[in-house]
Amino acid sequence: FVVHLFVVLLFTQLPAGVAPQVLASVSLPLLLTFTPATLFLGLLLRDGVHRAETEQALRESEARFRSLLQDIPGVAVQGYGPDGTITFWNAASERLYGFSAEEAIGRKKLDLIIPVRLRESVQQAMRQMFETHQAIPAAELLLMRQDGSEVPVFSSHGFVSHSGVDPE
């Protein structure tokens, strides 16, 4: 408002024959239209800055969480989508199963670590988890390593729904 008022005062410096006409036609619209418009624009800009700060904080939080899951030494964590495609494979999974993250991500969990005898029941449990959003009950299983040997694991699941990684 102060800036717009200053602009109106500047119009008083116009030649005497022009100033009253310009002031009459410009001052009221300037003060009543441009002031709210400027305020609205300021609020939009502030909202944009706030949104950018919030998105940055969210990215940093996700990076910390991903780092925690990646580096936790004693817990193998995998993420996979509804079709069983692996989307996350931490360092403990690499040590336990023998597959590097590069070898595991993008492959089907059923083909990678689930023995043939368990594939049908695991596939059904996964389908139910993604349909109902309820975790698969925890259980002890014998899963497969890269070399074909079996490894006993205590398998526990959590359902996470979002556009990024779905950790198991």
Side-chain angles (χ1 to χ4, degrees):
F1 178 77
V2 172
V3 170
H4 295 129
L5 186 59
F6 180 72
V7 170
V8 169
L9 290 176
L10 284 177
F11 287 138
T12 62
Q13 301 305 308
L14 291 171
V18 178
Q21 293 171 339
V22 170
L23 284 172
S25 63
V26 173
S27 60
L28 194 58
L30 182 68
L31 294 175
L32 295 179
T33 304
F34 287 107
T35 299
T38 303
L39 177 64
F40 181 69
L41 180 60
L43 291 173
L44 285 177
L45 291 173
R46 187 182 74 183
D47 185 51
V49 169
H50 178 69
R51 182 175 299 136
E53 290 170 349
T54 301
E55 288 172 358
Q56 179 63 28
L58 183 59
R59 281 190 295 276
E60 290 170 3
S61 176
E62 180 184 0
R64 283 190 305 273
F65 185 69
R66 180 176 286 279
S67 177
L68 172 69
L69 288 178
Q70 180 60 38
D71 298 335
I72 191 167
V75 180
V77 179
Q78 305 93 44
Y80 55 90
D83 68 348
T85 299
I86 296 170
T87 59
F88 183 80
W89 191 264
N90 75 348
S93 295
E94 291 180 341
R95 289 188 298 277
L96 181 65
Y97 296 110
F99 295 97
S100 69
E102 292 78 24
E103 293 170 313
I105 293 174
R107 293 184 59 189
K108 303 284 186 189
K109 179 179 179 169
L110 291 172
D111 299 333
L112 196 67
I113 62 173
I114 307 298
V116 174
R117 70 181 182 284
L118 297 177
R119 286 184 186 165
E120 183 62 37
S121 62
V122 169
Q123 186 173 31
Q124 175 58 32
M126 286 171 43
R127 188 176 311 119
Q128 184 175 358
M129 179 178 72
F130 281 101
E131 288 174 1
T132 65
H133 300 183
Q134 299 296 315
I136 299 169
E140 283 191 41
L141 300 171
L142 286 175
L143 300 182
M144 293 186 322
R145 289 188 174 115
Q146 185 178 30
D147 65 9
S149 64
E150 291 187 336
V151 58
V153 300
F154 183 77
S155 180
S156 181
H157 295 75
F159 182 82
V160 178
S161 177
H162 58 83
S163 61
V165 176
D166 291 332
E168 171 187 311

